[in-house]
Amino acid sequence: MLRPFHRFDVILILQEFRTSFLAINKGEEVASVGIIANPQSGKDIRRLVALASSFSNNEKVLMLRRVMAGLAAMGLDNILIFNDLGSLGAVAVDGFRHENKNSKAKLFEVDARGETIDSTNAARKLDELGVRCIIVLGGDGTCRAVAKGCGRIPMIPLSTGTNNAFPFSWEGTVAGMAAALYALYPKAYGSEKQVTKQLHVNLNGNSEKALVDIAILKESFYGARAIWDIGRVDSLALTRSEPGRLGLSSLGASLRPIGADEPLGLWLKLGPKSKTNHRVLSPIGPGQVASAQVMEHEIVKPGEAVKYRAPDDRVLAFDGERECLLNKGEDIEISLRLDGPSILNVPAILRKAAIRGDLQMRN
């Protein structure tokens, strides 16, 4: 027997409607996930000079659709995808909607120019929209660009770039599932969020940051943005040096391994061949094992800074890409801080979900 409809039911309904309405308009309390894919990742000159295949845009579209499938399977409906100039987001959303008629996945726009700053602006937009996490498809450079704009929103970085020391090779489907679980139950899965390390350097009053490495190159002009010639590296600062990773961080891994979760960094000074130097072999790219002479290396702790004076004109590269010029005699300080973007541990979230019973369905 149904109970009579009471006036307090009306009050509760109105209160719930008001709460939902305010949450939607403020961008709060509505579980949503943002996705940013870089159409240019995995296609720079390092792929041409190494024995590497490019990460095609078609594969990125399929990866996006797998991410969305994982999100939808966990009941996460509000999916916001960056409408990039390479049309990765547009093609992925169109295909996903074709298979999921009730999908609420939609594109969001920024003033895109086909440059790195597009990812930063997209992250800022997602921060304004109030998403609970951001899934990033790209390499170290893309993750750095997103970190500049995402604020405190945690990310799940998926590797599709050339240098992938920061992002992970997690499968898109499981990444989507983990992102949905965190977005739907942030308190339950908040413990699986980890703050990363960053390198800081002040240049002309502006603070620049790197997630993995800052390289000082023996050059007086930019040329190509990507670095592939180890002989041009003068010095190198690292937040991590994990064995098994490609890129400049492999130089440190061949000498003093440091994990991504260790509160330490590494400073390397390279030089000419000498009996007193450490000669290291490092896999700097697919099919590329380079020999380098390390004159000195030292551990850097959080809050510590390494001072450097340019003996001649130099170029600074952040996470594998040239960006800034240093004039002869110019002084800089590079410091390590524990203030990088937060990342979500996908396997740990799924493990906790199994223990909590969030992956179990009623028959």
PDB file of all heavy atoms in Angstrom, residues 319-358:
ATOM      1  N   ASP A 319      61.481  19.291 -20.379  1.00  0.00           N
ATOM      2  CA  ASP A 319      60.835  18.021 -20.721  1.00  0.00           C
ATOM      3  C   ASP A 319      61.004  17.665 -22.195  1.00  0.00           C
ATOM      4  O   ASP A 319      60.062  17.289 -22.884  1.00  0.00           O
ATOM      5  CB  ASP A 319      59.347  18.068 -20.339  1.00  0.00           C
ATOM      6  CG  ASP A 319      59.147  18.075 -18.835  1.00  0.00           C
ATOM      7  OD1 ASP A 319      59.980  17.489 -18.124  1.00  0.00           O
ATOM      8  OD2 ASP A 319      58.168  18.683 -18.357  1.00  0.00           O
ATOM      9  N   GLY A 320      62.253  17.848 -22.667  1.00  0.00           N
ATOM     10  CA  GLY A 320      62.599  17.393 -24.007  1.00  0.00           C
ATOM     11  C   GLY A 320      62.398  18.382 -25.128  1.00  0.00           C
ATOM     12  O   GLY A 320      62.643  18.054 -26.294  1.00  0.00           O
ATOM     13  N   GLU A 321      61.972  19.634 -24.810  1.00  0.00           N
ATOM     14  CA  GLU A 321      61.719  20.613 -25.868  1.00  0.00           C
ATOM     15  C   GLU A 321      62.397  21.939 -25.560  1.00  0.00           C
ATOM     16  O   GLU A 321      62.253  22.488 -24.468  1.00  0.00           O
ATOM     17  CB  GLU A 321      60.210  20.816 -26.043  1.00  0.00           C
ATOM     18  CG  GLU A 321      59.495  19.550 -26.489  1.00  0.00           C
ATOM     19  CD  GLU A 321      58.018  19.785 -26.773  1.00  0.00           C
ATOM     20  OE1 GLU A 321      57.528  20.893 -26.456  1.00  0.00           O
ATOM     21  OE2 GLU A 321      57.365  18.873 -27.294  1.00  0.00           O
ATOM     22  N   ARG A 322      63.143  22.462 -26.545  1.00  0.00           N
ATOM     23  CA  ARG A 322      63.839  23.741 -26.394  1.00  0.00           C
ATOM     24  C   ARG A 322      62.839  24.882 -26.242  1.00  0.00           C
ATOM     25  O   ARG A 322      61.872  24.961 -26.980  1.00  0.00           O
ATOM     26  CB  ARG A 322      64.710  24.002 -27.633  1.00  0.00           C
ATOM     27  CG  ARG A 322      65.834  22.999 -27.855  1.00  0.00           C
ATOM     28  CD  ARG A 322      66.457  23.233 -29.217  1.00  0.00           C
ATOM     29  NE  ARG A 322      67.655  22.443 -29.448  1.00  0.00           N
ATOM     30  CZ  ARG A 322      67.646  21.207 -29.944  1.00  0.00           C
ATOM     31  NH1 ARG A 322      66.490  20.626 -30.248  1.00  0.00           N
ATOM     32  NH2 ARG A 322      68.782  20.556 -30.146  1.00  0.00           N
ATOM     33  N   GLU A 323      63.153  25.788 -25.283  1.00  0.00           N
ATOM     34  CA  GLU A 323      62.211  26.882 -25.061  1.00  0.00           C
ATOM     35  C   GLU A 323      62.853  28.237 -24.800  1.00  0.00           C
ATOM     36  O   GLU A 323      62.333  29.254 -25.229  1.00  0.00           O
ATOM     37  CB  GLU A 323      61.270  26.555 -23.893  1.00  0.00           C
ATOM     38  CG  GLU A 323      60.157  25.607 -24.251  1.00  0.00           C
ATOM     39  CD  GLU A 323      59.005  25.671 -23.270  1.00  0.00           C
ATOM     40  OE1 GLU A 323      58.956  26.622 -22.460  1.00  0.00           O
ATOM     41  OE2 GLU A 323      58.165  24.766 -23.315  1.00  0.00           O
ATOM     42  N   CYS A 324      63.972  28.275 -24.068  1.00  0.00           N
ATOM     43  CA  CYS A 324      64.510  29.561 -23.613  1.00  0.00           C
ATOM     44  C   CYS A 324      66.002  29.681 -23.928  1.00  0.00           C
ATOM     45  O   CYS A 324      66.725  28.686 -23.948  1.00  0.00           O
ATOM     46  CB  CYS A 324      64.305  29.725 -22.103  1.00  0.00           C
ATOM     47  SG  CYS A 324      62.594  29.609 -21.568  1.00  0.00           S
ATOM     48  N   LEU A 325      66.439  30.936 -24.134  1.00  0.00           N
ATOM     49  CA  LEU A 325      67.847  31.231 -24.376  1.00  0.00           C
ATOM     50  C   LEU A 325      68.509  31.761 -23.109  1.00  0.00           C
ATOM     51  O   LEU A 325      67.912  32.533 -22.354  1.00  0.00           O
ATOM     52  CB  LEU A 325      67.986  32.264 -25.487  1.00  0.00           C
ATOM     53  CG  LEU A 325      67.598  31.831 -26.902  1.00  0.00           C
ATOM     54  CD1 LEU A 325      67.627  33.026 -27.843  1.00  0.00           C
ATOM     55  CD2 LEU A 325      68.536  30.742 -27.404  1.00  0.00           C
ATOM     56  N   LEU A 326      69.735  31.345 -22.890  1.00  0.00           N
ATOM     57  CA  LEU A 326      70.563  31.882 -21.807  1.00  0.00           C
ATOM     58  C   LEU A 326      71.739  32.611 -22.440  1.00  0.00           C
ATOM     59  O   LEU A 326      72.422  32.062 -23.314  1.00  0.00           O
ATOM     60  CB  LEU A 326      71.105  30.756 -20.924  1.00  0.00           C
ATOM     61  CG  LEU A 326      70.240  30.190 -19.799  1.00  0.00           C
ATOM     62  CD1 LEU A 326      71.032  29.143 -19.041  1.00  0.00           C
ATOM     63  CD2 LEU A 326      69.760  31.278 -18.872  1.00  0.00           C
ATOM     64  N   ASN A 327      71.983  33.836 -22.001  1.00  0.00           N
ATOM     65  CA  ASN A 327      73.117  34.590 -22.511  1.00  0.00           C
ATOM     66  C   ASN A 327      74.387  34.234 -21.746  1.00  0.00           C
ATOM     67  O   ASN A 327      74.341  33.778 -20.600  1.00  0.00           O
ATOM     68  CB  ASN A 327      72.850  36.091 -22.392  1.00  0.00           C
ATOM     69  CG  ASN A 327      71.688  36.535 -23.259  1.00  0.00           C
ATOM     70  OD1 ASN A 327      71.541  36.085 -24.396  1.00  0.00           O
ATOM     71  ND2 ASN A 327      70.844  37.408 -22.725  1.00  0.00           N
ATOM     72  N   LYS A 328      75.512  34.444 -22.381  1.00  0.00           N
ATOM     73  CA  LYS A 328      76.801  34.179 -21.752  1.00  0.00           C
ATOM     74  C   LYS A 328      76.912  34.957 -20.438  1.00  0.00           C
ATOM     75  O   LYS A 328      76.622  36.146 -20.375  1.00  0.00           O
ATOM     76  CB  LYS A 328      77.936  34.584 -22.697  1.00  0.00           C
ATOM     77  CG  LYS A 328      79.322  34.330 -22.139  1.00  0.00           C
ATOM     78  CD  LYS A 328      80.401  34.715 -23.135  1.00  0.00           C
ATOM     79  CE  LYS A 328      81.790  34.477 -22.548  1.00  0.00           C
ATOM     80  NZ  LYS A 328      82.860  34.822 -23.515  1.00  0.00           N
ATOM     81  N   GLY A 329      77.303  34.255 -19.381  1.00  0.00           N
ATOM     82  CA  GLY A 329      77.455  34.873 -18.073  1.00  0.00           C
ATOM     83  C   GLY A 329      76.182  34.958 -17.257  1.00  0.00           C
ATOM     84  O   GLY A 329      76.209  35.379 -16.098  1.00  0.00           O
ATOM     85  N   GLU A 330      75.069  34.544 -17.817  1.00  0.00           N
ATOM     86  CA  GLU A 330      73.789  34.611 -17.096  1.00  0.00           C
ATOM     87  C   GLU A 330      73.724  33.515 -16.041  1.00  0.00           C
ATOM     88  O   GLU A 330      74.130  32.366 -16.270  1.00  0.00           O
ATOM     89  CB  GLU A 330      72.625  34.471 -18.075  1.00  0.00           C
ATOM     90  CG  GLU A 330      71.267  34.750 -17.460  1.00  0.00           C
ATOM     91  CD  GLU A 330      70.161  34.817 -18.495  1.00  0.00           C
ATOM     92  OE1 GLU A 330      70.454  34.796 -19.713  1.00  0.00           O
ATOM     93  OE2 GLU A 330      68.991  34.889 -18.071  1.00  0.00           O
ATOM     94  N   ASP A 331      73.202  33.885 -14.864  1.00  0.00           N
ATOM     95  CA  ASP A 331      73.085  32.947 -13.744  1.00  0.00           C
ATOM     96  C   ASP A 331      71.646  32.477 -13.590  1.00  0.00           C
ATOM     97  O   ASP A 331      70.700  33.271 -13.713  1.00  0.00           O
ATOM     98  CB  ASP A 331      73.522  33.608 -12.437  1.00  0.00           C
ATOM     99  CG  ASP A 331      75.006  33.929 -12.420  1.00  0.00           C
ATOM    100  OD1 ASP A 331      75.808  33.029 -12.729  1.00  0.00           O
ATOM    101  OD2 ASP A 331      75.359  35.092 -12.107  1.00  0.00           O
ATOM    102  N   ILE A 332      71.488  31.195 -13.293  1.00  0.00           N
ATOM    103  CA  ILE A 332      70.164  30.649 -12.986  1.00  0.00           C
ATOM    104  C   ILE A 332      70.289  29.688 -11.806  1.00  0.00           C
ATOM    105  O   ILE A 332      71.377  29.213 -11.484  1.00  0.00           O
ATOM    106  CB  ILE A 332      69.538  29.903 -14.181  1.00  0.00           C
ATOM    107  CG1 ILE A 332      70.424  28.724 -14.614  1.00  0.00           C
ATOM    108  CG2 ILE A 332      69.255  30.842 -15.335  1.00  0.00           C
ATOM    109  CD1 ILE A 332      69.749  27.809 -15.626  1.00  0.00           C
ATOM    110  N   GLU A 333      69.159  29.421 -11.166  1.00  0.00           N
ATOM    111  CA  GLU A 333      69.081  28.420 -10.111  1.00  0.00           C
ATOM    112  C   GLU A 333      67.951  27.467 -10.438  1.00  0.00           C
ATOM    113  O   GLU A 333      66.835  27.899 -10.756  1.00  0.00           O
ATOM    114  CB  GLU A 333      68.843  29.062  -8.747  1.00  0.00           C
ATOM    115  CG  GLU A 333      70.034  29.842  -8.215  1.00  0.00           C
ATOM    116  CD  GLU A 333      69.812  30.310  -6.789  1.00  0.00           C
ATOM    117  OE1 GLU A 333      68.729  29.993  -6.218  1.00  0.00           O
ATOM    118  OE2 GLU A 333      70.705  30.961  -6.222  1.00  0.00           O
ATOM    119  N   ILE A 334      68.235  26.186 -10.373  1.00  0.00           N
ATOM    120  CA  ILE A 334      67.225  25.152 -10.623  1.00  0.00           C
ATOM    121  C   ILE A 334      66.966  24.433  -9.310  1.00  0.00           C
ATOM    122  O   ILE A 334      67.896  23.895  -8.692  1.00  0.00           O
ATOM    123  CB  ILE A 334      67.688  24.159 -11.697  1.00  0.00           C
ATOM    124  CG1 ILE A 334      67.973  24.888 -13.022  1.00  0.00           C
ATOM    125  CG2 ILE A 334      66.642  23.069 -11.918  1.00  0.00           C
ATOM    126  CD1 ILE A 334      68.551  23.997 -14.102  1.00  0.00           C
ATOM    127  N   SER A 335      65.718  24.429  -8.873  1.00  0.00           N
ATOM    128  CA  SER A 335      65.364  23.813  -7.588  1.00  0.00           C
ATOM    129  C   SER A 335      64.346  22.701  -7.780  1.00  0.00           C
ATOM    130  O   SER A 335      63.576  22.694  -8.746  1.00  0.00           O
ATOM    131  CB  SER A 335      64.821  24.861  -6.620  1.00  0.00           C
ATOM    132  OG  SER A 335      63.654  25.466  -7.136  1.00  0.00           O
ATOM    133  N   LEU A 336      64.349  21.784  -6.838  1.00  0.00           N
ATOM    134  CA  LEU A 336      63.395  20.674  -6.826  1.00  0.00           C
ATOM    135  C   LEU A 336      62.329  20.936  -5.776  1.00  0.00           C
ATOM    136  O   LEU A 336      62.642  21.289  -4.640  1.00  0.00           O
ATOM    137  CB  LEU A 336      64.110  19.359  -6.516  1.00  0.00           C
ATOM    138  CG  LEU A 336      63.225  18.109  -6.422  1.00  0.00           C
ATOM    139  CD1 LEU A 336      62.740  17.700  -7.808  1.00  0.00           C
ATOM    140  CD2 LEU A 336      63.985  16.954  -5.762  1.00  0.00           C
ATOM    141  N   ARG A 337      61.058  20.776  -6.174  1.00  0.00           N
ATOM    142  CA  ARG A 337      59.959  20.978  -5.221  1.00  0.00           C
ATOM    143  C   ARG A 337      58.922  19.867  -5.373  1.00  0.00           C
ATOM    144  O   ARG A 337      58.747  19.312  -6.454  1.00  0.00           O
ATOM    145  CB  ARG A 337      59.282  22.339  -5.446  1.00  0.00           C
ATOM    146  CG  ARG A 337      60.221  23.532  -5.293  1.00  0.00           C
ATOM    147  CD  ARG A 337      59.491  24.832  -5.491  1.00  0.00           C
ATOM    148  NE  ARG A 337      60.412  25.959  -5.680  1.00  0.00           N
ATOM    149  CZ  ARG A 337      60.030  27.186  -5.976  1.00  0.00           C
ATOM    150  NH1 ARG A 337      58.735  27.461  -6.111  1.00  0.00           N
ATOM    151  NH2 ARG A 337      60.939  28.133  -6.146  1.00  0.00           N
ATOM    152  N   LEU A 338      58.237  19.602  -4.282  1.00  0.00           N
ATOM    153  CA  LEU A 338      57.178  18.582  -4.286  1.00  0.00           C
ATOM    154  C   LEU A 338      55.832  19.256  -4.502  1.00  0.00           C
ATOM    155  O   LEU A 338      54.911  19.139  -3.688  1.00  0.00           O
ATOM    156  CB  LEU A 338      57.197  17.802  -2.970  1.00  0.00           C
ATOM    157  CG  LEU A 338      58.525  17.145  -2.588  1.00  0.00           C
ATOM    158  CD1 LEU A 338      58.393  16.418  -1.262  1.00  0.00           C
ATOM    159  CD2 LEU A 338      58.990  16.180  -3.672  1.00  0.00           C
ATOM    160  N   ASP A 339      55.689  19.974  -5.620  1.00  0.00           N
ATOM    161  CA  ASP A 339      54.462  20.723  -5.881  1.00  0.00           C
ATOM    162  C   ASP A 339      53.944  20.490  -7.297  1.00  0.00           C
ATOM    163  O   ASP A 339      53.270  21.326  -7.869  1.00  0.00           O
ATOM    164  CB  ASP A 339      54.713  22.220  -5.661  1.00  0.00           C
ATOM    165  CG  ASP A 339      55.749  22.793  -6.629  1.00  0.00           C
ATOM    166  OD1 ASP A 339      56.395  22.010  -7.361  1.00  0.00           O
ATOM    167  OD2 ASP A 339      55.908  24.026  -6.673  1.00  0.00           O
ATOM    168  N   GLY A 340      54.266  19.333  -7.851  1.00  0.00           N
ATOM    169  CA  GLY A 340      53.807  19.016  -9.200  1.00  0.00           C
ATOM    170  C   GLY A 340      52.343  18.632  -9.229  1.00  0.00           C
ATOM    171  O   GLY A 340      51.672  18.583  -8.190  1.00  0.00           O
ATOM    172  N   PRO A 341      51.815  18.354 -10.417  1.00  0.00           N
ATOM    173  CA  PRO A 341      50.406  17.966 -10.523  1.00  0.00           C
ATOM    174  C   PRO A 341      50.147  16.624  -9.851  1.00  0.00           C
ATOM    175  O   PRO A 341      51.042  15.778  -9.755  1.00  0.00           O
ATOM    176  CB  PRO A 341      50.198  17.876 -12.043  1.00  0.00           C
ATOM    177  CG  PRO A 341      51.555  17.560 -12.585  1.00  0.00           C
ATOM    178  CD  PRO A 341      52.511  18.328 -11.715  1.00  0.00           C
ATOM    179  N   SER A 342      48.932  16.444  -9.386  1.00  0.00           N
ATOM    180  CA  SER A 342      48.552  15.163  -8.792  1.00  0.00           C
ATOM    181  C   SER A 342      48.180  14.178  -9.897  1.00  0.00           C
ATOM    182  O   SER A 342      47.574  14.549 -10.898  1.00  0.00           O
ATOM    183  CB  SER A 342      47.352  15.342  -7.858  1.00  0.00           C
ATOM    184  OG  SER A 342      47.671  16.200  -6.786  1.00  0.00           O
ATOM    185  N   ILE A 343      48.566  12.927  -9.705  1.00  0.00           N
ATOM    186  CA  ILE A 343      48.174  11.884 -10.654  1.00  0.00           C
ATOM    187  C   ILE A 343      47.431  10.785  -9.899  1.00  0.00           C
ATOM    188  O   ILE A 343      47.670  10.555  -8.712  1.00  0.00           O
ATOM    189  CB  ILE A 343      49.380  11.299 -11.407  1.00  0.00           C
ATOM    190  CG1 ILE A 343      50.402  10.722 -10.432  1.00  0.00           C
ATOM    191  CG2 ILE A 343      50.029  12.341 -12.306  1.00  0.00           C
ATOM    192  CD1 ILE A 343      51.521   9.960 -11.130  1.00  0.00           C
ATOM    193  N   LEU A 344      46.527  10.127 -10.599  1.00  0.00           N
ATOM    194  CA  LEU A 344      45.764   9.033 -10.014  1.00  0.00           C
ATOM    195  C   LEU A 344      46.419   7.710 -10.379  1.00  0.00           C
ATOM    196  O   LEU A 344      46.783   7.483 -11.537  1.00  0.00           O
ATOM    197  CB  LEU A 344      44.314   9.062 -10.519  1.00  0.00           C
ATOM    198  CG  LEU A 344      43.497  10.296 -10.142  1.00  0.00           C
ATOM    199  CD1 LEU A 344      42.111  10.228 -10.778  1.00  0.00           C
ATOM    200  CD2 LEU A 344      43.376  10.438  -8.635  1.00  0.00           C
ATOM    201  N   ASN A 345      46.536   6.837  -9.382  1.00  0.00           N
ATOM    202  CA  ASN A 345      47.135   5.518  -9.572  1.00  0.00           C
ATOM    203  C   ASN A 345      46.042   4.556 -10.033  1.00  0.00           C
ATOM    204  O   ASN A 345      45.238   4.080  -9.229  1.00  0.00           O
ATOM    205  CB  ASN A 345      47.771   5.041  -8.269  1.00  0.00           C
ATOM    206  CG  ASN A 345      48.563   3.766  -8.444  1.00  0.00           C
ATOM    207  OD1 ASN A 345      48.232   2.912  -9.254  1.00  0.00           O
ATOM    208  ND2 ASN A 345      49.626   3.631  -7.673  1.00  0.00           N
ATOM    209  N   VAL A 346      46.005   4.295 -11.336  1.00  0.00           N
ATOM    210  CA  VAL A 346      44.930   3.491 -11.920  1.00  0.00           C
ATOM    211  C   VAL A 346      44.866   2.087 -11.322  1.00  0.00           C
ATOM    212  O   VAL A 346      43.791   1.645 -10.879  1.00  0.00           O
ATOM    213  CB  VAL A 346      45.064   3.446 -13.456  1.00  0.00           C
ATOM    214  CG1 VAL A 346      44.152   2.386 -14.062  1.00  0.00           C
ATOM    215  CG2 VAL A 346      44.743   4.815 -14.043  1.00  0.00           C
ATOM    216  N   PRO A 347      45.948   1.304 -11.298  1.00  0.00           N
ATOM    217  CA  PRO A 347      45.852  -0.043 -10.711  1.00  0.00           C
ATOM    218  C   PRO A 347      45.415  -0.031  -9.244  1.00  0.00           C
ATOM    219  O   PRO A 347      44.643  -0.894  -8.817  1.00  0.00           O
ATOM    220  CB  PRO A 347      47.278  -0.596 -10.864  1.00  0.00           C
ATOM    221  CG  PRO A 347      47.868   0.177 -11.991  1.00  0.00           C
ATOM    222  CD  PRO A 347      47.294   1.549 -11.859  1.00  0.00           C
ATOM    223  N   ALA A 348      45.885   0.950  -8.479  1.00  0.00           N
ATOM    224  CA  ALA A 348      45.523   1.023  -7.058  1.00  0.00           C
ATOM    225  C   ALA A 348      44.039   1.322  -6.886  1.00  0.00           C
ATOM    226  O   ALA A 348      43.384   0.782  -5.988  1.00  0.00           O
ATOM    227  CB  ALA A 348      46.369   2.091  -6.357  1.00  0.00           C
ATOM    228  N   ILE A 349      43.498   2.189  -7.750  1.00  0.00           N
ATOM    229  CA  ILE A 349      42.067   2.504  -7.677  1.00  0.00           C
ATOM    230  C   ILE A 349      41.234   1.267  -7.987  1.00  0.00           C
ATOM    231  O   ILE A 349      40.248   0.957  -7.294  1.00  0.00           O
ATOM    232  CB  ILE A 349      41.721   3.651  -8.645  1.00  0.00           C
ATOM    233  CG1 ILE A 349      42.274   4.975  -8.102  1.00  0.00           C
ATOM    234  CG2 ILE A 349      40.206   3.761  -8.852  1.00  0.00           C
ATOM    235  CD1 ILE A 349      42.066   6.151  -9.025  1.00  0.00           C
ATOM    236  N   LEU A 350      41.611   0.535  -9.027  1.00  0.00           N
ATOM    237  CA  LEU A 350      40.846  -0.656  -9.403  1.00  0.00           C
ATOM    238  C   LEU A 350      40.968  -1.751  -8.343  1.00  0.00           C
ATOM    239  O   LEU A 350      40.014  -2.503  -8.104  1.00  0.00           O
ATOM    240  CB  LEU A 350      41.318  -1.164 -10.761  1.00  0.00           C
ATOM    241  CG  LEU A 350      41.028  -0.223 -11.939  1.00  0.00           C
ATOM    242  CD1 LEU A 350      41.606  -0.778 -13.225  1.00  0.00           C
ATOM    243  CD2 LEU A 350      39.529   0.001 -12.099  1.00  0.00           C
ATOM    244  N   ARG A 351      42.118  -1.824  -7.705  1.00  0.00           N
ATOM    245  CA  ARG A 351      42.287  -2.795  -6.611  1.00  0.00           C
ATOM    246  C   ARG A 351      41.362  -2.439  -5.452  1.00  0.00           C
ATOM    247  O   ARG A 351      40.681  -3.312  -4.898  1.00  0.00           O
ATOM    248  CB  ARG A 351      43.743  -2.817  -6.150  1.00  0.00           C
ATOM    249  CG  ARG A 351      43.998  -3.736  -4.960  1.00  0.00           C
ATOM    250  CD  ARG A 351      45.470  -3.692  -4.546  1.00  0.00           C
ATOM    251  NE  ARG A 351      45.693  -4.471  -3.333  1.00  0.00           N
ATOM    252  CZ  ARG A 351      45.853  -5.784  -3.290  1.00  0.00           C
ATOM    253  NH1 ARG A 351      45.802  -6.477  -4.405  1.00  0.00           N
ATOM    254  NH2 ARG A 351      46.044  -6.413  -2.146  1.00  0.00           N
ATOM    255  N   LYS A 352      41.337  -1.165  -5.086  1.00  0.00           N
ATOM    256  CA  LYS A 352      40.461  -0.745  -3.994  1.00  0.00           C
ATOM    257  C   LYS A 352      38.999  -0.945  -4.363  1.00  0.00           C
ATOM    258  O   LYS A 352      38.173  -1.313  -3.513  1.00  0.00           O
ATOM    259  CB  LYS A 352      40.725   0.723  -3.643  1.00  0.00           C
ATOM    260  CG  LYS A 352      39.804   1.258  -2.553  1.00  0.00           C
ATOM    261  CD  LYS A 352      40.171   2.667  -2.125  1.00  0.00           C
ATOM    262  CE  LYS A 352      41.356   2.662  -1.188  1.00  0.00           C
ATOM    263  NZ  LYS A 352      41.577   4.000  -0.572  1.00  0.00           N
ATOM    264  N   ALA A 353      38.658  -0.707  -5.636  1.00  0.00           N
ATOM    265  CA  ALA A 353      37.274  -0.891  -6.088  1.00  0.00           C
ATOM    266  C   ALA A 353      36.833  -2.338  -5.932  1.00  0.00           C
ATOM    267  O   ALA A 353      35.692  -2.617  -5.541  1.00  0.00           O
ATOM    268  CB  ALA A 353      37.146  -0.451  -7.544  1.00  0.00           C
ATOM    269  N   ALA A 354      37.741  -3.263  -6.206  1.00  0.00           N
ATOM    270  CA  ALA A 354      37.415  -4.684  -6.041  1.00  0.00           C
ATOM    271  C   ALA A 354      37.193  -5.014  -4.569  1.00  0.00           C
ATOM    272  O   ALA A 354      36.252  -5.738  -4.216  1.00  0.00           O
ATOM    273  CB  ALA A 354      38.541  -5.541  -6.617  1.00  0.00           C
ATOM    274  N   ILE A 355      38.036  -4.472  -3.693  1.00  0.00           N
ATOM    275  CA  ILE A 355      37.907  -4.732  -2.255  1.00  0.00           C
ATOM    276  C   ILE A 355      36.622  -4.119  -1.703  1.00  0.00           C
ATOM    277  O   ILE A 355      35.930  -4.711  -0.873  1.00  0.00           O
ATOM    278  CB  ILE A 355      39.139  -4.184  -1.510  1.00  0.00           C
ATOM    279  CG1 ILE A 355      40.398  -4.949  -1.935  1.00  0.00           C
ATOM    280  CG2 ILE A 355      38.945  -4.256   0.001  1.00  0.00           C
ATOM    281  CD1 ILE A 355      41.703  -4.381  -1.397  1.00  0.00           C
ATOM    282  N   ARG A 356      36.290  -2.909  -2.192  1.00  0.00           N
ATOM    283  CA  ARG A 356      35.075  -2.222  -1.729  1.00  0.00           C
ATOM    284  C   ARG A 356      33.801  -2.828  -2.302  1.00  0.00           C
ATOM    285  O   ARG A 356      32.704  -2.589  -1.797  1.00  0.00           O
ATOM    286  CB  ARG A 356      35.124  -0.750  -2.142  1.00  0.00           C
ATOM    287  CG  ARG A 356      35.969   0.133  -1.261  1.00  0.00           C
ATOM    288  CD  ARG A 356      36.143   1.521  -1.875  1.00  0.00           C
ATOM    289  NE  ARG A 356      34.903   2.073  -2.401  1.00  0.00           N
ATOM    290  CZ  ARG A 356      34.033   2.818  -1.703  1.00  0.00           C
ATOM    291  NH1 ARG A 356      34.280   3.087  -0.435  1.00  0.00           N
ATOM    292  NH2 ARG A 356      32.939   3.297  -2.273  1.00  0.00           N
ATOM    293  N   GLY A 357      33.933  -3.593  -3.371  1.00  0.00           N
ATOM    294  CA  GLY A 357      32.759  -4.169  -4.026  1.00  0.00           C
ATOM    295  C   GLY A 357      32.150  -3.259  -5.071  1.00  0.00           C
ATOM    296  O   GLY A 357      31.038  -3.512  -5.546  1.00  0.00           O
ATOM    297  N   ASP A 358      32.865  -2.200  -5.473  1.00  0.00           N
ATOM    298  CA  ASP A 358      32.324  -1.264  -6.457  1.00  0.00           C
ATOM    299  C   ASP A 358      32.317  -1.827  -7.874  1.00  0.00           C
ATOM    300  O   ASP A 358      31.735  -1.214  -8.776  1.00  0.00           O
ATOM    301  CB  ASP A 358      33.136   0.042  -6.445  1.00  0.00           C
ATOM    302  CG  ASP A 358      32.893   0.849  -5.173  1.00  0.00           C
ATOM    303  OD1 ASP A 358      31.849   0.618  -4.533  1.00  0.00           O
ATOM    304  OD2 ASP A 358      33.751   1.687  -4.822  1.00  0.00           O
TER     305      ASP A 358
END
